[in-house]
Amino acid sequence: MAFDKLSLDGRIAVVIGGTSGIGRTLALGLADCGAHVVATARRGPEVDSAAKEIEARGRKTLRLTSDVLDRPSLERLKDEVVAKFGRVDVLINCAGRTQKKAVEEVTDAEFQAVLETNLTGTFRACQIFGRQMLAQGKGRIVNIASLSSFAALYQTAAYSASKAAVVSLTQTLAVEWGARGVNVNAIAPGVFRTALNQELLDGTERGKEFLLRTPMRRFGKLDELVGAAVFLSSDAASFVNGEVLAVDGGFLASAVNQ
């Protein structure tokens, strides 16, 4: 008998920050595994582009913009998804921002802006969609943590603080909602090469250090994150709750590598 608990056939998934980078990869990965996916972000053209790729896979979607800084936009997103599909099975929170700056130079406004997107924005989305899932009696939420949730990265105080807090939020929601059918987990990506960071990874001492600290001696490929997201979204993870799954090539296990 085939093992089908990893199937997402017919599931309704919302990926916030789902039109670029990790979010887009996960949105398309869920669609490849059978889910109908709403990939949302702030920019309409990017939403439309992601929607076309989802539809090309034979899945249903909606073209809806949203901003994690704007609670009413998230409420509208939830309402329109429920109006169209009747429920929300999966929420993946990928919206985020970072900053590299010496901590003594970071302003209050800069620090708060990173926390507002990465932490408060994740909280808003979890709360709004979590209420819907609690009413349904079932749901899966996957947040995006970071290596810096667990290990300090140089000159990323605001980002690291926000991502450490995302882990705490994930665990708290898992404790509060697990008995009511809503599993809340997170993925902590390692270092993945993208168009935005390619120059950093390939041409700086920081990039060399990232590579040295990764025991697999290479950076991740974005599609290598899909399996974790599919697993945590599926019935195969029905007893997985409050966990952070690192997809990092061994980075967090690493100390001395030579």
Side-chain angles (χ1 to χ4, degrees):
M1 180 181 295
F3 182 77
D4 62 357
K5 288 191 175 182
L6 282 169
S7 172
L8 299 181
D9 283 349
R11 301 292 173 89
I12 310 303
V14 174
V15 182
I16 296 177
T19 64
S20 63
I22 288 174
R24 190 184 187 102
T25 298
L26 297 186
L28 298 179
L30 296 187
D32 285 334
C33 290
H36 304 300
V37 183
V38 177
T40 180
R42 292 178 298 165
R43 297 178 180 86
E46 294 181 7
V47 169
D48 183 63
S49 175
K52 288 178 180 177
E53 290 197 58
I54 291 165
E55 290 169 340
R57 287 161 165 78
R59 311 304 177 201
K60 297 176 183 177
T61 189
L62 291 171
R63 287 162 169 78
L64 300 171
T65 59
S66 66
D67 185 346
V68 296
L69 304 182
D70 178 13
R71 177 176 285 270
S73 79
L74 295 177
E75 294 279 8
R76 288 192 299 272
L77 172 66
K78 183 265 297 179
D79 289 344
E80 293 197 39
V81 172
V82 173
K84 170 69 173 180
F85 298 106
R87 67 186 194 279
V88 181
D89 300 307
V90 179
L91 170 69
I92 300 186
N93 283 307
C94 291
R97 64 183 295 174
T98 189
Q99 179 191 49
K100 182 179 183 295
K101 192 173 185 180
V103 68
E104 66 271 19
E105 298 175 2
V106 176
T107 67
D108 284 359
E110 289 170 334
F111 191 90
Q112 188 58 43
V114 174
L115 264 66
E116 182 68 13
T117 296
N118 295 355
L119 176 58
T120 310
T122 296
F123 164 77
R124 287 189 187 103
C126 286
Q127 184 184 60
I128 289 166
F129 283 87
R131 287 170 176 159
Q132 174 65 32
M133 292 177 177
L134 291 169
Q136 298 167 181
K138 185 176 182 180
R140 300 282 189 270
I141 296 176
V142 182
N143 295 323
I144 300 299
S146 168
L147 296 176
S148 64
S149 299
F150 306 101
L153 302 182
Y154 185 67
Q155 292 187 339
T156 62
Y159 180 79
S160 297
S162 72
K163 289 300 186 177
V166 165
V167 169
S168 181
L169 175 65
T170 298
Q171 293 168 335
T172 300
L173 296 179
V175 169
E176 291 196 24
W177 293 350
R180 299 163 70 185
V182 180
N183 296 40
V184 187
N185 295 287
I187 296 170
V191 185
F192 288 77
R193 180 181 278 106
T194 69
L196 293 178
N197 69 13
Q198 182 171 331
E199 184 175 341
L200 166 70
L201 296 183
D202 295 339
T204 69
E205 292 303 311
R206 188 180 182 91
K208 293 177 183 177
E209 185 173 356
F210 275 131
L211 189 61
L212 178 65
R213 285 286 306 276
T214 303
M216 291 185 71
R217 290 296 187 270
R218 65 175 178 84
F219 300 125
K221 302 171 185 177
L222 286 178
D223 61 7
E224 291 179 306
L225 288 165
V226 172
V230 170
F231 169 65
L232 292 175
S233 300
S234 74
D235 288 341
S238 57
F239 201 56
V240 180
N241 192 35
E243 293 299 320
V244 182
L245 177 53
V247 185
D248 68 350
F251 186 101
L252 291 174
S254 170
V256 177
N257 278 273
Q258 60 181 353

